[in-house]
Amino acid sequence: RAEELQIIEANGLKFGFLAATRVIPVSQWNVEFRQPGLFTTYDDTRLVECIEAAKEACDFLTVYVHWGIEREAYPENYQTAIAKNCFTAGADLVIGAHPHVLQGIEFMDSKPVFYSLGNYIFAQTIARTALVKVEVQPDGEATYSLIPAYAQDGQTKVFAGDEAVELFDYMNEISPRVFVDEQGNIYDIE
């Protein structure tokens, strides 16, 4: 079940979701041991196979990957390699987590990878985090925007005004060939 495609139908489209991890504390958590566990992607061969099969069953496929190094603002080479393989296999969007900080955004063949959106809910103060809003048209064309946020006293709140613009400016600094405007809209500038 850990590698099972989840589908949500909305507005006449089927949205598929797959999730995997490249960060596990002990190898026994790997679902390949035929026990409850996590779908790991230290070798992304099986993830690619699942994406290829999933693409047949849905109109828009999002792949979530738990990866990266904690507190690092830039992705590791393996994150970029896995993202490329996900897109080649048919993913429409890749979203990462684990670093606990924002990492950049990159477009690969007009499809975005959000390497890390930071911490949305965590038992601590979070200076900056983000959500991604994805709007998919009936023809499959998608637009993306960031919703800037922070957390204080166990509550996540949306940034407004100058704080939002500062977060967008930061994302522009760490995201080569991407532009985030003052409303959070994301553009591939390649």
Side-chain angles (χ1 to χ4, degrees):
R1 186 163 187 263
E3 48 183 64
E4 184 177 296
L5 172 68
Q6 302 299 311
I7 294 179
I8 297 172
E9 292 188 42
N11 299 325
L13 294 174
K14 291 182 179 179
F15 295 91
F17 300 89
L18 288 172
T21 185
R22 193 178 178 285
V23 180
I24 57 174
V26 292
S27 63
Q28 290 79 7
W29 286 22
N30 188 342
V31 76
E32 291 176 0
F33 290 109
R34 305 276 187 248
Q35 65 184 24
L38 301 169
F39 179 19
T40 64
T41 189
Y42 286 90
D43 172 354
D44 64 3
T45 302
R46 182 67 187 138
L47 177 60
V48 165
E49 292 170 354
C50 289
I51 292 167
E52 291 170 345
K55 195 56 187 170
E56 300 296 318
C58 61
D59 301 301
F60 191 91
L61 179 60
T62 300
V63 177
Y64 290 93
V65 185
H66 184 244
W67 60 10
I69 296 178
E70 289 187 7
R71 309 280 181 241
E72 289 295 321
Y74 295 93
E76 297 294 302
N77 290 337
Y78 78 80
Q79 290 172 262
T80 302
I82 290 172
K84 283 180 184 176
N85 291 341
C86 288
F87 290 130
T88 299
D92 295 295
L93 171 64
V94 175
I95 298 177
H98 177 68
H100 300 281
V101 295
L102 291 166
Q103 287 186 340
I105 305 163
E106 182 177 3
F107 280 85
M108 297 179 183
D109 294 326
S110 302
K111 296 177 182 181
V113 54
F114 295 81
Y115 286 105
S116 175
L117 294 174
N119 281 334
Y120 182 69
I121 298 175
F122 211 64
Q124 65 186 34
T125 297
I126 302 165
R128 57 185 173 204
T129 189
L131 295 101
V132 61
K133 180 179 179 181
V134 181
E135 294 186 53
V136 181
Q137 303 304 315
D139 66 359
E141 190 69 28
T143 58
Y144 308 90
S145 59
L146 288 178
I147 299 171
Y150 67 100
Q152 187 173 358
D153 301 324
Q155 295 182 353
T156 303
K157 302 173 184 179
V158 175
F159 270 134
D162 291 342
E163 290 90 357
V165 172
E166 287 174 17
L167 186 140
F168 300 147
D169 288 345
Y170 175 72
M171 292 305 292
N172 285 325
E173 288 175 27
I174 64 171
S175 304
R177 300 175 307 280
V178 170
F179 177 68
V180 181
D181 70 16
E182 290 188 3
Q183 288 74 48
N185 301 306
I186 301 165
Y187 302 96
D188 180 358
I189 57 174
E190 187 146 292

